[in-house]
Amino acid sequence: MKKLLIMASLFWPQKNSGGPPVSIMNLVKSIYSRYELYIISNNHELNDDKPLDGVSEGKNVFEFGTAYYLSREMHSIKGVLGIINQIQPDIIYQNSFFSYNDMIPVLLYKKAHWDTKVIITPRGEFQANALNKGIQKKMAYMRLLKFSGLLKDVVWQFAAESECENWKCVCKVGAKAVYIIPNLTYGGKVDSNRKKTAGTANVCFVGRIHPHKNLLFALEVLSKIKGQVCFDIYGSCEDDVYYQECVHFCSTLPNNVECSFRGSVDNEYIHSVIGSYHVLLLPTKSEAYGQSLVEAMLTAVPVITSNNTPWNDVNDCAAGYALDLDEKDAFVQALQCVVDMGYEDFNCLAERTLKYINNKLQTESAIRAYEKMFD
């Protein structure tokens, strides 16, 4: 049985890091019986030093394999390289290109062990809006890796074709192979008791509270909606100034819009939480995959999002809305349409949403594609 090492700074049981911990754990659950599985991750949440509950610092043994949870002090190039040398993996699946304290030791190990297969999955880091933050340092880092020769003979994997095209334009480095395989997402139970009355809607936002996820834009849209709307916001705060702007704007919303900040949601409960709403409003600036969008659609919850995600053809199937951020009125019209829907029209939309995402994901074929990539 081959040894597969998954490098994932964002991994279960973290819950404040958006989609990666969920999609990586879904992958682990789907393939662990085929490999001797190892994971190197952090023992703390993103932007926090408090140790995670339920795991110990250092080595942990689970049913799916062995996971090393590292503190900031342990998570160094030297420390990570030492653990990789102990494991001696046949395959390394590196999540993130710009996490240098994972990337550098992985590439150094590859240089010393040329027959080790290294797969890099950037997880949206080459999307324009994500790349532009700290772009000068990122470009310098990219050039360093490119001209050092450390990227020679690595394999690349992307969740969507659009992400791959961005990488080609920016990175301009050769590849041994390139795979386009979507993240693995498993649907929860569809809420058969969900009711819908014309002129009312329960709306949710699920994402990090950060300018990139565009919560303030969502609130501006809500301020123009007629009808009774309950708007619940789920996600960790990553930008205190932006959070305060959003809190202030919430206080100015008209009386017909009830707005609440609900905090983070444990990954195991995300389906049941999202599934109780009528629509997910997430006007994100860009997504390489959009875990919360997929989670919503898999529970038959329509989405209203930007046209900067892999799910733009939701428009063609009348299964949701993927809209231009420069046209805020289009977001208002889409949300107003959902609010105005009665039970029958809403159920038809929900059924189209579920049919659309099930056709798109084809989970079993995606699992086989991952296995082929790792082998």
Side-chain angles (χ1 to χ4, degrees):
M1 189 176 285
K2 289 184 178 179
K3 293 182 180 180
L4 169 60
L5 169 61
I6 298 178
M7 304 293 297
S9 292
L10 307 179
F11 181 64
W12 174 87
Q14 296 176 46
K15 62 180 183 178
N16 294 344
S17 310
V22 180
S23 58
I24 297 170
M25 190 53 166
N26 286 341
L27 174 62
V28 166
K29 289 178 179 178
S30 300
I31 64 169
Y32 76 90
S33 62
R34 289 179 55 90
Y35 304 94
E36 187 177 333
L37 200 59
Y38 298 86
I39 295 149
I40 297 179
S41 186
N42 290 327
N43 79 330
H44 52 83
E45 294 279 6
L46 188 67
N47 301 323
D48 195 357
D49 290 321
K50 180 183 176 183
L52 293 169
D53 293 331
V55 298
S56 302
E57 184 171 323
K59 185 177 181 179
N60 293 252
V61 179
F62 301 103
E63 180 183 359
F64 58 75
T66 300
Y68 294 84
Y69 290 93
L70 308 183
S71 65
R72 293 191 190 278
E73 293 73 23
M74 292 175 64
H75 207 145
S76 63
I77 292 174
K78 181 180 179 181
V80 171
L81 184 57
I83 296 173
I84 298 175
N85 278 317
Q86 290 177 30
I87 296 169
Q88 295 188 331
D90 301 295
I91 312 136
I92 303 178
Y93 185 51
Q94 168 61 41
N95 289 266
S96 171
F97 179 77
F98 292 111
S99 293
Y100 69 92
N101 54 356
D102 284 343
M103 272 287 291
I104 301 298
V106 165
L107 295 176
L108 290 175
Y109 185 85
K110 166 72 172 174
K111 185 177 181 180
H113 303 79
W114 60 269
D115 56 340
T116 300
K117 187 173 190 177
V118 169
I119 303 158
I120 300 171
T121 181
R123 294 202 164 268
E125 292 171 325
F126 289 101
Q127 299 286 91
N129 284 297
L131 186 65
N132 286 338
K133 187 177 181 181
I135 189 168
Q136 291 183 338
K137 289 183 179 179
K138 289 177 179 177
M139 296 303 288
Y141 169 81
M142 230 183 305
R143 286 192 295 269
L144 175 64
L145 291 185
K146 182 177 178 180
F147 293 116
S148 70
L150 290 174
L151 293 175
K152 183 180 179 182
D153 292 331
V154 302
V155 173
W156 295 78
Q157 183 248 323
F158 302 93
E161 186 69 43
S162 59
E163 184 186 13
C164 182
E165 291 303 316
N166 289 335
W167 164 76
K168 288 178 182 177
C169 292
V170 175
C171 203
K172 297 178 181 177
V173 65
K176 187 173 183 179
V178 176
Y179 292 86
I180 311 293
I181 313 173
N183 293 345
L184 295 180
T185 310
Y186 295 97
K189 183 180 179 181
V190 176
D191 188 353
S192 59
N193 296 318
R194 182 176 51 182
K195 305 299 181 184
K196 179 68 174 71
T197 304
T200 67
N202 296 326
V203 184
C204 66
F205 173 100
V206 180
R208 297 172 290 115
I209 300 176
H210 184 279
H212 190 84
K213 298 296 182 179
N214 228 0
L215 173 59
L216 194 55
F217 183 103
L219 293 169
E220 291 168 351
V221 169
L222 281 156
S223 70
K224 300 179 180 180
I225 296 299
K226 297 177 182 178
Q228 292 300 124
V229 177
C230 173
F231 184 54
D232 287 339
I233 300 160
Y234 296 91
S236 59
C237 174
E238 285 194 19
D239 186 317
D240 289 334
V241 173
Y242 186 75
Y243 170 75
Q244 291 301 328
E245 289 180 35
C246 293
V247 169
H248 174 72
F249 197 96
C250 281
S251 69
T252 69
L253 288 171
N255 292 334
N256 64 302
V257 179
E258 181 184 340
C259 180
S260 302
F261 288 84
R262 300 293 188 181
S264 299
V265 184
D266 286 340
N267 296 331
E268 60 186 297
Y269 302 121
I270 192 68
H271 289 118
S272 59
V273 169
I274 295 180
S276 64
Y277 291 89
H278 297 118
V279 64
L280 171 70
L281 177 60
L282 185 68
T284 175
K285 292 182 179 178
S286 69
E287 298 292 332
Y289 185 69
Q291 188 73 32
S292 63
L293 296 171
V294 178
E295 303 277 5
M297 290 187 282
L298 281 169
T299 51
V301 174
V303 301
I304 301 174
T305 188
S306 73
N307 59 357
N308 300 317
T309 81
W311 313 106
N312 289 350
D313 58 348
V314 72
N315 295 324
D316 302 329
C317 300
Y321 306 86
L323 307 170
D324 190 330
L325 289 173
D326 290 332
E327 299 178 8
K328 190 175 295 180
D329 285 347
F331 282 83
V332 175
Q333 292 169 13
L335 182 54
Q336 189 66 60
C337 181
V338 176
V339 172
D340 292 342
M341 283 180 180
Y343 179 75
E344 186 174 324
D345 287 341
F346 175 77
N347 269 3
C348 289
L349 173 60
E351 287 173 5
R352 291 194 298 270
T353 298
L354 186 59
K355 181 179 179 180
Y356 163 82
I357 196 61
N358 282 332
N359 288 339
K360 291 284 286 187
L361 290 181
Q362 298 182 0
T363 301
E364 289 304 317
S365 62
I367 293 172
R368 289 193 294 271
Y370 276 104
E371 291 173 345
K372 180 180 178 181
M373 178 178 71
F374 291 140
D375 292 342

